[in-house]
Amino acid sequence: SYGVGLGIEFVFATIRRHPVNEGFLVTGMLIPLVMPPDVPLWQVAVATAFAVIIGKEAFGGTGMNVVNIALTARAFLYFAYPTDISGEVWTYLGEGATAVAGYSGATPLAVAAAAAKGTQVVNEFNSFGSTWAPGIYSFQSLFLGTQPGYNGEHSPLMCLIGALILIVTGTGSWKIIVGVFGGAYGMGLLLNILAGDNAFMAMPAYYHLVIGGLAFGAVFMATDPVTAAQTETGKWYYGILIGMFTVLIRVFNPAYPEGIMLAILLMNVFAPLIDYFVVSANKTRRLKRATV
């Protein structure tokens, strides 16, 4: 990602006669973290080129992009090469001094999406892999990140540590992070009430916070200062809507059990509109106070 992305940055910097911005140093690190570990490198290169050229340089370069560049690269692979990026199957490599044993299985989100009506998703998690990797999908394992997953997404604990660093340094907005988690949890609770015999809807809401890439997206993607909402009130709406849409996409989109990528990209597009309504509401309140 660095080789292709920085190469394109150098080309556009030369053409436009401006210095190379260091922004891609962060993006180039995030792109591999949202990819499966076995994705072909040429696909990463093509996705990076698409994201930088179409998602960034076409809009004017650093600071002018509308959508998150790393997620744009991932979205490109998802739609162009869905079998390689869907993330529904992983391989578990067994431990031991002898020959390594390999196992393939569904991700937690795929297990939840495939749960039969009237069953308990938590029971499906606890029983999954019981013969060869007991507890691989227990809540503790999902929170700590000891289960297989994407390069950077499968440990909510590490993501929370990263969130603390971003908040302390003032790099990321705590309102957006809390909003994403709160929106996802709230939508999960609402679906629990409306679940009926739908197993995925009935899954405890707090499980949505530790499965898939929600934690990683909330901390490192939704807080992108260029594509996120800029007003303080707007950040709450922006984060909450991302969390809500993530859970809705997970539960009601059978073709794509994860939803954080699409939710963030969707709200990237609507972030300026959120800020517009927040600013307009503030102006209206001030005008009313001024005329009293």
Side-chain angles (χ1 to χ4, degrees):
S1 64
Y2 275 128
V4 174
L6 287 177
I8 295 173
E9 292 266 355
F10 287 141
V11 171
F12 275 92
T14 302
I15 295 174
R16 293 172 175 170
R17 300 182 182 277
H18 64 69
V20 177
N21 193 284
E22 68 277 4
F24 191 80
L25 295 178
V26 176
T27 304
M29 183 181 298
L30 291 175
I31 289 176
L33 292 177
V34 297
M35 299 291 180
D38 59 346
V39 64
L41 294 182
W42 69 267
Q43 291 186 10
V44 177
V46 172
T48 301
F50 175 86
V52 174
I53 295 174
I54 304 300
K56 183 178 181 180
E57 298 299 341
F59 288 92
T62 302
M64 304 297 290
N65 51 291
V66 177
V67 292
N68 184 280
I69 303 303
L71 288 183
T72 301
R74 190 177 190 274
F76 173 83
L77 284 189
Y78 170 70
F79 290 107
Y81 306 99
T83 57
D84 295 319
I85 197 68
S86 62
E88 293 184 359
V89 177
W90 50 266
T91 298
Y92 169 77
L93 299 180
E95 300 177 357
T98 58
V100 175
Y103 302 90
S104 294
T107 62
L109 282 169
V111 172
K117 292 184 178 181
T119 60
Q120 297 290 328
V121 172
V122 175
N123 293 337
E124 298 292 326
F125 285 160
N126 292 334
S127 62
F128 186 84
S130 58
T131 58
W132 44 271
I136 193 171
Y137 284 167
S138 66
F139 185 84
Q140 178 181 354
S141 176
L142 293 172
F143 176 71
L144 296 178
T146 56
Q147 84 287 356
Y150 278 31
N151 290 329
E153 295 183 353
H154 62 284
S155 178
L157 175 61
M158 294 295 103
C159 291
L160 290 178
I161 295 175
L164 181 62
I165 295 173
L166 292 180
I167 293 171
V168 170
T169 58
T171 306
S173 170
W174 67 270
K175 295 179 180 179
I176 294 177
I177 297 173
V178 173
V180 174
F181 283 113
Y185 185 72
M187 180 55 67
L189 290 177
L190 178 61
L191 293 180
N192 289 165
I193 298 173
L194 305 174
D197 60 354
N198 187 304
F200 203 172
M201 291 176 64
M203 183 181 71
Y206 55 85
Y207 267 87
H208 280 289
L209 308 183
V210 297
I211 61 177
L214 186 139
F216 186 86
V219 175
F220 298 107
M221 297 297 178
T223 56
D224 179 5
V226 176
T227 57
Q230 303 299 311
T231 58
E232 294 304 312
T233 302
K235 291 176 181 178
W236 282 112
Y237 290 113
Y238 173 80
I240 291 172
L241 287 172
I242 287 176
M244 293 174 63
F245 279 122
T246 297
V247 175
L248 287 175
I249 294 172
R250 283 178 172 181
V251 174
F252 295 112
N253 183 5
Y256 186 58
E258 177 58 283
I260 186 67
M261 177 189 75
L262 297 179
I264 292 177
L265 290 175
L266 176 65
M267 294 315 301
N268 283 166
V269 176
F270 282 96
L273 189 62
I274 293 174
D275 287 334
Y276 170 79
F277 282 115
V278 170
V279 172
S280 297
N282 288 338
K283 288 181 178 179
T284 301
R285 285 195 297 268
R286 290 180 180 180
L287 287 174
K288 288 182 178 179
R289 288 198 299 266
T291 55
V292 173

